[in-house]
Amino acid sequence: IPMDVVERIYKAMYWDAMSCDSFHYAIAFQLFDAAVNHGLLNARKILQRAVGVKDDGMIGPVSLAAIRQQPVFALVSLFNSKRISFYTNISNFNVYGKGWMNRMSENLRYVAEDMA
């Protein structure tokens, strides 16, 4: 598949589906990455857990209000901490966990770059 087709697929299926354009880039990237790795529903639930609202996977007015109340750095940090918890609760973490944690390590580096 040509790369431009792959990019269009990922944009439509993940970036647009998570409404990433409506968020600060630092959180948008993390949401996109979570959607690709955990699925759209889990990514939304993890975001809701990060801001302390019901994790039903529906990002409505209550979730958006809680998200908007968080400073960007705090939101990204809380979101990534919940992602790490999510990963560590997966039954095959012992097999794939090192790779997942390496991914999160890179994501934390991106946060530092995005917030600089």
Side-chain angles (χ1 to χ4, degrees):
I1 298 176
M3 186 54 71
D4 67 315
V5 173
V6 171
E7 289 172 359
R8 284 196 308 265
I9 291 169
Y10 272 77
K11 183 175 185 310
M13 291 183 65
Y14 300 103
W15 186 269
D16 293 343
M18 292 297 293
S19 302
C20 290
D21 283 332
S22 66
F23 296 99
H24 183 282
Y25 183 76
I27 190 62
F29 171 81
Q30 301 297 326
L31 283 172
F32 170 77
D33 186 68
V36 170
N37 281 269
H38 308 305
L40 300 174
L41 181 63
N42 282 325
R44 289 183 189 114
K45 287 182 174 185
I46 293 167
L47 179 59
Q48 290 173 315
R49 290 178 199 139
V51 296
V53 298
K54 181 179 177 185
D55 62 343
D56 60 6
M58 303 294 290
I59 305 295
V62 172
S63 296
L64 286 173
I67 291 164
R68 302 275 186 239
Q69 287 178 354
Q70 289 291 330
V72 174
F73 183 75
L75 178 59
V76 174
S77 298
L78 291 166
F79 182 67
N80 280 328
S81 74
K82 293 297 183 183
R83 285 190 70 191
I84 291 168
S85 293
F86 181 87
Y87 276 128
T88 61
N89 286 310
I90 297 174
S91 62
N92 55 1
F93 181 80
N94 290 339
V95 177
Y96 301 108
K98 182 177 179 181
W100 293 334
M101 291 304 100
N102 283 335
R103 179 181 204 94
M104 291 307 302
S105 176
E106 282 297 301
N107 281 7
L108 293 171
R109 186 177 61 77
Y110 294 147
V111 171
E113 291 171 0
D114 288 343
M115 299 307 295

